Amino acid sequence: MMGLVHVILAVLSLLTVGQSAPVTSCESLTKQVEIIGRNQLLGKWMYIGESTTIAGFKLLTKALVETSWARISAADESDAINVFQSQKMLGRCFTATTKMTLGNNTLSMVHPMHVSEVLLSTGCPDCLVLQTNFTFGGSTYKGLQFMRFCPDESNLQETETTDLTTDISSMNAEDVKLFDRFLSSSDGIQLLIKIITTGLTGLKEN
Ligand SMILES: *[C@@H]1O[C@H](CO)[C@@H](O)[C@H](O)[C@H]1NC(C)=O
Ligand SMILES: *[C@@H]1O[C@H](CO)[C@@H](O)[C@H](O)[C@H]1NC(C)=O
């Protein structure tokens, strides 16, 4: 049971789940901009809005996610970044660190799922807007993440935290396929919410 819960949480964290707040002035968010080196991406970012083509995703994030932020730092390789993500779900923090490669104005990741992201123009100097394609389990989904620079330190220390990085690195194609099957129906989404809610309640009681 915990294995399944961890797989689900790990995939959720890869989908960079934020609160599904409505993004205003979408008209200006349609133009791709060049990523001039990785420096413009570095820093700490709050996910403040997200929209995806995954049916039921809004329901999923509304039921589970309180806050979500990422700290992007330079990786050892000159063309890569480390993305440390923290999501507060049902009163608990889940973190994960993944690496993305920058090339051809695109950020990409291949394991455990194919992710590619481009930067869109925004009128806000402290914001990042990313358009993302996720491919896993035979499906391709699109997402739009709206992030804003956040100078405050997080309250990560005060909250019980589970790191999912090893769950992500040991995840296989079957695991992500399973997650994709859940996403394919509203019953699946409801079941997903139930599994996570029950799983996390179990964690608290231990
Ligand atoms: C960038 O694009 C070129 C030409 O399409 C391709 O050969 C190269 O592999 C790409 N680089 C990356 C990092 O995707
Ligand atoms: C996502 O896929 C579409 C084709 O479906 C493509 O036009 C777009 O450039 C891709 N975006 C990224 C960020 O890879």
Side-chain angles (χ1 to χ4, degrees):
M1 184 66 175
M2 264 337 284
L4 178 59
V5 171
H6 272 206
V7 164
I8 294 168
L9 291 170
V11 180
L12 271 179
S13 71
L14 289 176
L15 297 176
T16 56
V17 180
Q19 285 158 314
S20 291
V23 176
T24 52
S25 73
C26 288
E27 311 81 56
S28 63
L29 302 177
T30 49
K31 243 182 83 198
Q32 190 186 334
V33 293
E34 203 184 333
I35 303 177
I36 314 153
R38 63 186 174 181
N39 282 358
Q40 76 193 102
L41 305 170
L42 307 183
K44 189 175 164 190
W45 304 90
M46 290 294 295
Y47 289 96
I48 57 172
E50 174 166 75
S51 161
T52 74
T53 56
I54 302 174
F57 202 70
K58 206 166 176 171
L59 189 69
L60 196 60
T61 56
K62 220 171 153 184
L64 302 173
V65 183
E66 292 164 53
T67 54
S68 192
W69 58 270
R71 187 172 53 238
I72 301 178
S73 56
D76 293 339
E77 303 84 349
S78 61
D79 65 343
I81 54 169
N82 291 320
V83 183
F84 172 86
Q85 280 170 266
S86 174
Q87 285 174 11
K88 195 167 178 198
M89 289 193 258
L90 306 171
R92 208 181 161 92
C93 279
F94 292 89
T95 61
T97 304
T98 50
K99 189 178 280 187
M100 295 193 88
T101 309
L102 176 61
N104 294 339
N105 278 322
T106 306
L107 286 166
S108 49
M109 177 167 80
V110 291
H111 179 85
M113 61 170 82
H114 279 266
V115 178
S116 64
E117 297 189 316
V118 296
L119 196 60
L120 300 186
S121 67
T122 159
C124 160
D126 297 333
C127 303
L128 270 190
V129 178
L130 294 164
Q131 194 263 305
T132 308
N133 287 355
F134 306 99
T135 304
F136 60 93
S139 307
T140 297
Y141 300 105
K142 282 180 209 247
L144 194 66
Q145 286 87 30
F146 193 17
M147 299 155 93
R148 181 165 237 157
F149 187 66
C150 163
D152 318 326
E153 265 320 299
S154 89
N155 56 355
L156 192 60
Q157 291 82 358
E158 296 153 31
T159 311
E160 217 180 321
T161 299
T162 304
D163 189 68
L164 299 166
T165 303
T166 50
D167 297 280
I168 290 175
S169 43
S170 62
M171 202 181 288
N172 60 37
E174 282 306 310
D175 294 328
V176 285
K177 205 179 269 176
L178 175 72
F179 186 82
D180 190 35
R181 277 206 298 273
F182 277 117
L183 292 181
S184 64
S185 71
S186 55
D187 281 355
I189 300 265
Q190 292 293 356
L191 187 57
L192 211 53
I193 293 169
K194 199 167 168 200
I195 290 170
I196 296 173
T197 311
T198 312
L200 294 189
T201 309
L203 271 184
K204 263 181 209 153
E205 282 163 3
N206 284 340

